[in-house]
Amino acid sequence: MELNAGLNGIMVIVAAFVGGACIGSFINATAMRTVAEKKWWGNERSVCDTCGHELCARDLVPILSYSLLGGKCRYCGAKIGIRHFAAEIISGLLTAALAVRWGPSLALALSLVILWLSLFNSMTDMENGFIYDVPAVALGIVGLGLRLAGGWPAVLEGILGAALGFGFIALIILIKPGGMGWGDAMLMIGIGGAVGWKYCIFCLYFGFLIGGIVILPLMLKKKLKRKDAVPLGPFLAIGSLLTLFTGNVLVSRFAALIGSYPGWPWG
Ligand SMILES: [Zn+2]
């Protein structure tokens, strides 16, 4: 029995990794098409970024194709952008880790929506410094929709989260224009709406902490000027994912301030 349970667990983790990697591949492709203002669907075939050769199924297997081809195009030998591989492996690993963290539950469904949509937003933000409103707000809408399963208190927690996320970034933009963009505020509407207000506090905290740790040294070395636009979306996304793993411990640490219940569906 125990051996079977262990085997089943491993198979679920492997399936989550493979499924997550495939979705990461799809997210990467749609993010690139969005930035290039191409259609997501229809006759658009996947092609090599360099030579434009149409790619076939064996070129498009997540993680494996990139690894077997040594990160080079089969047809022209040009380097394939690491972003393809990175999106697949990050999505695969985090999907599996979240599946382990939450098990089959609404918390897992909400976590995966957060992972995949914030990955999309991070990729467009890193490519052209732009967080698109539609996928950012979609995260909030899907998040609030899932919250309906927890009743109105759960929806209210999400609305407060969206307001907190948006309000906090909007305040920074108003106090010190130029540092952050409205795209970041829109992204936090989505993340806050999905995680609820208590988790949202820690998403913001981690996002700014990690952003600061990465950006400050670059500024000190003068590689980055004060006025340079820095994509903050990826840091907010990393902060949110850290919160999904550590949020319950953090909420209990600060229970005296915010109560010990971490909010639906995390409790
Ligand atoms: Zn090529």
Side-chain angles (χ1 to χ4, degrees), residues 48 50-53 73 75-78:
C48 165
T50 308
C51 67
H53 196 293
C73 171
Y75 309 100
C76 69

